[in-house]
């Protein structure tokens, strides 16, 4: 059974740092790209960052570029999100999500097939 | 960045009725990059539809997706009590964006 379990959330002051973790099980970890998606209280979903299976390619939303760093340890089956220079607007539940890729004759499909339960990050003084 | 606009913002219907949710993209996207998710309060999103029209594993056949180019639709043919939730569309093009969501509430 595929499982994604986030941890590391909590209360942090503006300008502070936090590192989130996402422990994965039930699949070949290094074969999948992974993502972080956040949801501010009462708001919609916002994609934050993505990393390839090898960790060699990373992508960021403009809202976090230069402040957040995504990484992974394939020997530990764990995804990370290092968050620096945190702002009040970073307050959200942070989800990790696995990207599935399906290649058929005429198309390649991308979607998030498994999600963790989320971890809450609150940025406040 | 491709913006996805979902309508309506809130849809009030009764169990047994048909629900039609819309997702419009600011520019044409490949159907293979369009997905729909369901989210219930306090839960993570759940994949319903990928490739605009393919149901994910375990999703009942009352859920169907359609569309191409800039206009996509999620249809729930006959609402069950457990279907009342928030629904998001997502595109996976040059970047990844979600629509703002449609809340499906019991009338």
């Amino acid at each position: 059974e595929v499982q994604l379990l986030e941890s590391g959330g909590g209360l942090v002051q503006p300008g502070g740092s936090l590192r989130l973790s996402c422990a994965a099980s039930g699949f070949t970890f290094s074969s999948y790209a992974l993502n972080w998606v956040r949801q501010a209280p009462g708001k919609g979903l916002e994609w934050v960052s993505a990393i390839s299976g090898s960790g060699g390619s990373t992508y960021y939303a403009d809202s976090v570029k230069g402040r957040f760093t995504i990484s992974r340890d394939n020997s530990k089956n764990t995804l990370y999100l290092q968050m620096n220079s945190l702002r009040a607007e970073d307050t959200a539940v942070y989800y990790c999500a696995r990207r599935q890729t399906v290649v058929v004759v005429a198309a390649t499909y991308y979607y998030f097939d498994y999600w963790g339960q989320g971890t809450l990050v609150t940025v406040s003084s | 960045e491709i913006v996805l606009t979902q309508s309506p913002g809130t849809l009030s219907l009764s169990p047994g009725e048909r629900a039609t949710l819309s997702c419009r993209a600011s520019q044409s996207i490949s159907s293979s990059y369009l997905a729909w998710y369901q989210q219930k309060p306090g839960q993570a999103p759940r994949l319903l539809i990928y490739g605009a029209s393919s149901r994910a594993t375990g999703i009942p056949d009352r859920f169907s997706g359609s569309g191409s180019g800039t206009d996509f639709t999620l249809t729930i043919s006959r609402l069950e009590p457990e279907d009342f939730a928030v629904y998001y569309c997502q595109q996976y093009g040059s970047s990844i964006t979600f629509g703002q969501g449609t809340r499906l509430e019991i009338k």
Side-chain angles (χ1 to χ4, degrees), chain A residues 8-26:
Chain A
L11 175 63
V12 61
Q13 292 188 339
S17 298
L18 210 56
R19 188 177 84 156
L20 306 183
S21 300
C22 173
S25 60

Side-chain angles (χ1 to χ4, degrees), chain A residues 35 37 39 43-45 47 95 99 108-112 115-116, chain B residues 32-33 37 39 43-45 47 50-51 88 90 92 95-96 98:
Chain A
N35 292 259
V37 177
Q39 186 170 37
K43 302 298 184 182
L45 302 170
W47 172 77
Y95 298 100
R99 188 193 81 179
T108 300
Y109 298 87
Y110 296 118
Y111 49 91
F112 296 169
W115 298 64
Chain B
S32 63
Y33 295 165
Y37 300 86
Q39 187 179 34
Q43 297 184 16
L47 175 69
Y50 65 92
Y88 295 94
Q90 176 208 34
Y92 207 111
S95 181
I96 300 168
F98 291 89

Side-chain angles (χ1 to χ4, degrees), chain A residues 32-93:
Chain A
Y32 290 86
L34 295 169
N35 292 259
W36 288 99
V37 177
R38 69 184 180 183
Q39 186 170 37
K43 302 298 184 182
L45 302 170
E46 179 189 15
W47 172 77
V48 172
S49 185
I51 188 167
S52 62
S54 67
S57 297
T58 57
Y59 309 88
Y60 298 94
D62 288 344
S63 58
V64 306
K65 201 171 295 182
R67 299 188 299 123
F68 289 11
T69 302
I70 191 171
S71 62
R72 62 192 296 160
D73 185 336
N74 286 348
S75 69
K76 295 182 178 179
N77 287 1
T78 303
L79 171 72
Y80 303 100
L81 185 68
Q82 177 67 44
M83 304 185 295
N84 298 331
S85 302
L86 282 162
R87 306 166 180 167
E89 54 265 35
D90 296 318
T91 294
V93 173

